[in-house]
Amino acid sequence: MKEIYKLGGILLLVTVLASAALSMVNKITKPKIEEQKRLVIERALIAALPTADPKAIEKVTENDELLYYIGYPSQEKKEIAGYAFIAKKSGYSSVIETMVGVDTTGKIIGIKIMEQQETPGLGTKIEQVKYGESSPWFQIQFLNRYADELAVDKDNGPIKSITGATISSRAVTNSIKEGLKQLEKRLGGFKTKKNTTQTEQVS
């Protein structure tokens, strides 16, 4: 019986020490993890809202929930450069998070994958930068497009899927499309698209 009490005491002591060690590790690493997350978001916002002053980007929240960001060209905030939001959707092996920026008409002006743990060599190609290029080829396909243009080629859309990673490609595409529609609803609609048709006098 004494042996059982002794073992129980040792187990209790080990548990207390392990808990204390984990608590200490958490206390030390938490600020660093939070700072890393802040930097990831900051860099993603700069990519998503290229015409906004990084110091003039504001969060829009509701009941402590982040809804979207508003970016202004200058700190005077006289006009809006665009909006940004985080699109999320499950891919093949992870939840893919993407920061997406649009102008006031809802046209995509910037995009940055923030988090993904997809299959190496397949789904991870959503961040691949090809030799001689400066931007991820998959992501730049979204630039200058509106929500109604977002679908992968396997769904008869213009976004070229990554070979062998259709699930990842579709997750990014559909999450952005859904996020854009949600943003449009929250804003009460985007401004009317600019008519790019040009006319020319012939006589």
Side-chain angles (χ1 to χ4, degrees):
M1 184 64 75
K2 283 178 66 178
E3 193 63 26
I4 292 174
Y5 282 128
K6 184 179 177 182
L7 289 172
I10 292 172
L11 183 60
L12 178 62
L13 179 62
V14 170
T15 302
V16 169
L17 290 174
S19 298
L22 285 173
S23 177
M24 183 65 72
V25 169
N26 182 59
K27 190 174 180 180
I28 293 171
T29 58
K30 188 177 179 181
K32 294 181 179 178
I33 293 172
E34 293 297 323
E35 176 62 9
Q36 186 62 30
K37 286 182 180 177
R38 188 191 69 77
L39 288 173
V40 168
I41 291 173
E42 184 177 287
R43 289 166 186 156
L45 281 169
I46 290 172
L49 295 171
T51 58
D53 181 339
K55 293 182 179 177
I57 298 176
E58 297 180 344
K59 282 184 182 177
V60 176
T61 61
E62 184 177 271
N63 298 325
D64 294 328
E65 179 192 1
L66 173 66
L67 300 182
Y68 56 90
Y69 297 88
I70 300 179
Y72 301 89
S74 71
Q75 295 180 53
E76 295 177 347
K77 300 177 183 176
K78 290 183 178 177
E79 58 182 296
I80 295 174
Y83 305 93
F85 62 92
I86 299 174
K88 298 181 184 180
K89 208 169 191 64
S90 294
Y92 184 78
S93 55
S94 68
V95 174
I96 303 172
E97 294 187 14
T98 310
M99 183 72 80
V100 184
V102 298
D103 66 10
T104 55
T105 70
K107 182 175 71 176
I108 296 173
I109 56 175
I111 175 175
K112 173 78 174 172
I113 301 289
M114 297 170 56
E115 176 71 29
Q116 60 88 10
Q117 296 293 324
E118 296 295 278
T119 307
L122 293 173
T124 54
K125 287 185 177 178
I126 57 177
E127 295 190 277
Q128 181 189 40
V129 178
K130 291 183 177 178
Y131 179 76
E133 298 180 357
S134 59
S135 302
W137 68 270
F138 179 74
Q139 295 176 46
I140 61 175
Q141 297 182 90
F142 293 84
L143 298 181
N144 299 315
R145 295 192 186 280
Y146 293 90
D148 56 6
E149 300 174 272
L150 299 182
V152 295
D153 48 6
K154 297 290 178 66
D155 298 328
N156 299 316
I159 304 297
K160 185 179 179 183
S161 302
I162 297 164
T163 303
T166 302
I167 293 175
S168 306
S169 307
R170 189 176 278 138
V172 174
T173 306
N174 291 348
S175 69
I176 293 174
K177 185 171 187 171
E178 291 168 11
L180 265 170
K181 289 184 176 179
Q182 192 173 41
L183 177 64
E184 183 176 21
K185 188 177 178 182
R186 284 170 170 161
L187 294 174
F190 291 120
K191 288 185 179 178
T192 306
K193 298 176 187 177
K194 291 181 180 178
N195 185 0
T196 55
T197 303
Q198 295 183 342
T199 58
E200 183 179 351
Q201 189 171 346
V202 293
S203 63

